Amino acid sequence: MTDLSKTPADATATGHPMVRAENVHKSYGAVHVLKGIDLEVRQGEVFCLIGPSGSGKSTFLRCINHLEKVNAGRLWVDGELVGYQQKGDKLHELKDREVAVKRRDIGMVFQRFNLFPHMTAVENVMEAPVQVKGESKAVARERAMSLLERVGLADKARNYPSQLSGGQQQRVAIARALAMKPKLMLFDEPTSALDPELVGDVLDVMRGLAEEGMTMVVVTHEMGFAREVGDALVFMDGGVVVESGNPREVLTDPQHERTRAFLSKVL
Ligand SMILES: Nc1ncnc2c1ncn2[C@@H]1O[C@H](COP(=O)(O)OP(=O)(O)O)[C@@H](O)[C@H]1O
Ligand SMILES: [Mg+2]
């Protein structure tokens, strides 16, 4: 029976934890960057991460994506401890090759688009499915074309990155990440490097993904996006979670002085 009491937003975000961090610490040499992060991202949720430069947002995303090893605490993605495999009651550290396999399930979009400059848009989107998953070129091309259509760039499939605007390149980068059928998408300031008039198209693509139920962790300075699309918001500063909650509530009525000070600068 359908539960009519649920709003659509609830219906997409009632899943199991897709990311769970428990007292996560990360240092680079003597620099203690993450100082005990606790948070949970549920399946289907749009989880926004905000905070000043240097607060550890990118580092945390890199830990989720197995690009960095945490020094202490625990981090799970989709129920599995990042970097380890449980056999019986023992934990075994994964080999690099095994880590790479896990990373395939997580799409990442960076501030800079990092497209292959010598490949067209459609070739960029096809590359990983063909090279990493061994998909046939025909199948990969067809899927790549439908992904480009989804991000509004079907007519740019044969263009090279240098022939595309920053916003278009970023949408190709999103299509490229989606081509691997990720269960989780990480966005690290995806619109920060764009001219203001190009930001909206990228945010629209992200909003569409959210509506389709994709689990997304989004580091952003776009407070409008966080307020409208976000299911949860965390304010980080100095490697700790200062405040978290419903984006509408945190943004309009922050409880901590540090959150207020930050928001007064960006809003
Ligand atoms: N590979 C690295 N080696 C040494 N220090 C790093 C490295 N990556 C990040 N840091 C440091 O960690 C801190 C947090 O960086 P980062 O996670 O990029 O913050 P944010 O994304 O919130 O701006 C900064 O002080 C930065 O200099
Ligand atoms: Mg960063």
Side-chain angles (χ1 to χ4, degrees):
M1 216 171 98
T2 319
D3 182 358
L4 295 175
S5 66
K6 276 186 188 151
T7 65
D10 285 340
T12 59
T14 51
H16 63 279
M18 182 57 85
V19 179
R20 195 146 80 87
E22 231 178 61
N23 197 26
V24 165
H25 287 258
K26 175 70 191 173
S27 300
Y28 296 105
V31 186
H32 198 175
V33 178
L34 301 179
K35 300 174 182 168
I37 300 288
D38 291 292
L39 56 79
E40 189 172 290
V41 180
R42 290 178 301 159
Q43 189 178 40
E45 196 168 53
V46 176
F47 189 96
C48 296
L49 205 50
I50 63 171
S53 176
S55 56
K57 306 180 299 294
S58 296
T59 301
F60 184 65
L61 288 191
R62 292 168 59 79
C63 290
I64 295 175
N65 203 17
H66 311 67
L67 289 167
E68 298 287 356
K69 233 177 238 174
V70 310
N71 299 120
R74 289 174 171 220
L75 184 59
W76 290 265
V77 172
D78 202 16
E80 292 180 358
L81 207 50
V82 170
Y84 296 89
Q85 187 181 27
Q86 184 139 16
K87 284 182 186 153
D89 54 3
K90 284 220 175 81
L91 286 177
H92 295 263
E93 210 167 320
L94 295 179
K95 298 183 180 69
D96 288 351
R97 182 171 38 84
E98 297 166 320
V99 168
V101 170
K102 301 270 183 199
R103 198 178 294 138
R104 287 183 199 172
D105 291 338
I106 304 173
M108 182 131 183
V109 176
F110 302 91
Q111 184 173 347
R112 297 268 161 207
F113 336 114
N114 309 108
L115 297 176
F116 301 115
H118 60 291
M119 292 183 189
T120 62
V122 69
E123 286 166 352
N124 264 283
V125 180
M126 292 167 60
E127 177 68 7
V130 171
Q131 296 301 330
V132 179
K133 283 190 172 167
E135 266 180 33
S136 80
K137 283 198 171 178
V139 170
R141 183 177 294 274
E142 198 167 319
R143 239 183 85 66
M145 284 306 300
S146 74
L147 286 168
L148 286 175
E149 193 172 322
R150 179 159 155 199
V151 300
L153 291 173
D155 58 330
K156 303 287 183 196
R158 289 162 180 276
N159 286 47
Y160 287 90
S162 60
Q163 300 167 321
L164 299 171
S165 74
Q168 290 168 336
Q169 290 183 56
Q170 193 61 305
R171 285 184 281 150
V172 174
I174 293 172
R176 184 177 60 172
L178 293 175
M180 293 296 277
K181 302 182 181 156
K183 57 188 174 192
L184 169 66
M185 286 282 285
L186 308 176
F187 292 87
D188 196 354
E189 302 193 29
T191 59
S192 303
L194 300 178
D195 291 332
E197 73 272 23
L198 303 176
V199 167
D201 287 341
V202 173
L203 293 180
D204 283 346
V205 167
M206 292 170 64
R207 187 176 289 119
L209 268 182
E211 280 163 8
E212 288 166 32
M214 176 63 79
T215 311
M216 299 160 59
V217 180
V218 184
V219 175
T220 187
H221 297 296
E222 295 292 335
M223 300 303 155
F225 177 86
R227 188 183 296 113
E228 287 158 32
V229 184
D231 297 300
L233 181 122
V234 156
F235 170 67
M236 261 175 82
D237 193 10
V240 298
V241 171
V242 173
E243 182 159 359
S244 62
N246 177 299
R248 267 82 51 201
E249 289 166 14
V250 175
L251 292 175
T252 49
D253 187 22
Q255 300 299 303
H256 291 260
E257 182 48 41
R258 278 200 275 175
T259 318
R260 278 195 284 272
F262 175 75
L263 291 177
S264 73
K265 284 182 205 144
V266 297
L267 281 178

